[in-house]
């Protein structure tokens, strides 16, 4: 497969993944603020479905990223310092993805202890990480 096809699908699946990753904590904001059990139960369904919907996109993003690195070769990988920094930020995104699953499970068990403000903050911070990933990928500053 052409490297351009790999890159195109890598970016597509990354965008789909990020859409869900940005929306899930927003659901947590509303869930944490909810007072009615019926509404909370609806949020539980939405959160679980969304996490399981976007997880394959995260996996496809990872697989395609690995294939792209493989296509470019080991020497390119070793010389691409910008990529090492990007991959560190990407690893944090995967850790964040797993943490969101933990939160889904906490909400599902009615064991949330965090405020809506906490979820607003964790909803906004990944935007900076995504900006770093895009800038590193496009500018390749080092």
């Amino acid at each position: 497969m052409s490297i351009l096809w790999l890159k195109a699908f890598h970016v597509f699946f990354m965008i789909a993944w990020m859409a869900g990753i940005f929306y899930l904590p927003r659901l947590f904001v509303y869930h944490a603020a909810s007072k009615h059990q019926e509404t909370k139960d609806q949020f539980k369904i939405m959160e679980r479905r969304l996490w399981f919907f976007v997880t394959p996109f995260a996996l496809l993003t990872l697989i395609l990223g690995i294939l792209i690195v493989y296509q470019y070769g080991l020497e390119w990988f070793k010389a691409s310092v910008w990529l090492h920094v990007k991959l560190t930020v990407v690893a944090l995104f995967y850790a964040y993805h797993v943490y969101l699953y933990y939160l889904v499970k906490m909400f599902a068990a009615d064991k949330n202890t965090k405020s809506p403000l906490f979820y607003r903050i964790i909803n906004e911070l990944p935007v900076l990480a995504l900006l770093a990933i895009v800038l590193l990928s496009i500018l390749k500053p080092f």
Side-chain angles (χ1 to χ4, degrees):
M1 181 181 275
S2 163
I3 192 130
L4 293 178
W5 281 102
L6 291 174
K7 286 181 176 182
F9 282 109
H10 177 72
V11 170
F12 171 78
F13 287 121
M14 184 272 304
I15 290 169
W17 176 34
M18 289 300 113
I21 286 295
F22 291 149
Y23 187 55
L24 186 54
R26 181 55 49 187
L27 289 176
F28 293 158
V29 170
Y30 302 136
H31 191 162
S34 178
K35 304 288 187 224
H36 301 83
Q37 189 60 43
E38 188 174 304
T39 305
K40 290 179 181 187
D41 291 342
Q42 186 63 41
F43 278 120
K44 290 176 192 179
I45 293 167
M46 294 168 64
E47 292 156 359
R48 182 179 53 79
R49 286 182 179 170
L50 181 58
W51 193 88
F52 282 104
F53 179 74
V54 300
T55 296
F57 298 141
L59 295 174
L60 288 166
T61 300
L62 178 64
I63 291 165
L64 290 166
I66 290 168
L67 289 173
I68 291 166
V69 170
Y70 178 78
Q71 288 282 325
Y72 275 109
L74 186 59
E75 291 305 315
W76 172 82
F77 179 74
K78 288 179 182 176
S80 301
V81 177
W82 67 270
L83 182 59
H84 296 228
V85 176
K86 174 191 167 187
L87 291 176
T88 301
V89 178
V90 168
L92 293 173
F93 251 116
Y94 280 96
Y96 179 72
H97 185 96
V98 171
Y99 179 64
L100 292 180
Y101 180 69
Y102 167 78
L103 294 173
V104 166
K105 297 305 261 181
M106 289 296 102
F107 274 111
D110 291 320
K111 294 182 179 177
N112 174 52
T113 59
K114 310 269 192 260
S115 71
L117 177 61
F118 171 81
Y119 295 111
R120 278 190 173 89
I121 292 169
I122 69 164
N123 182 229
E124 302 300 332
L125 290 178
V127 173
L128 299 174
L130 181 59
L131 177 62
I133 289 169
V134 170
L135 292 177
L136 287 163
S137 298
I138 302 297
L139 300 176
K140 298 173 180 55
F142 37 85

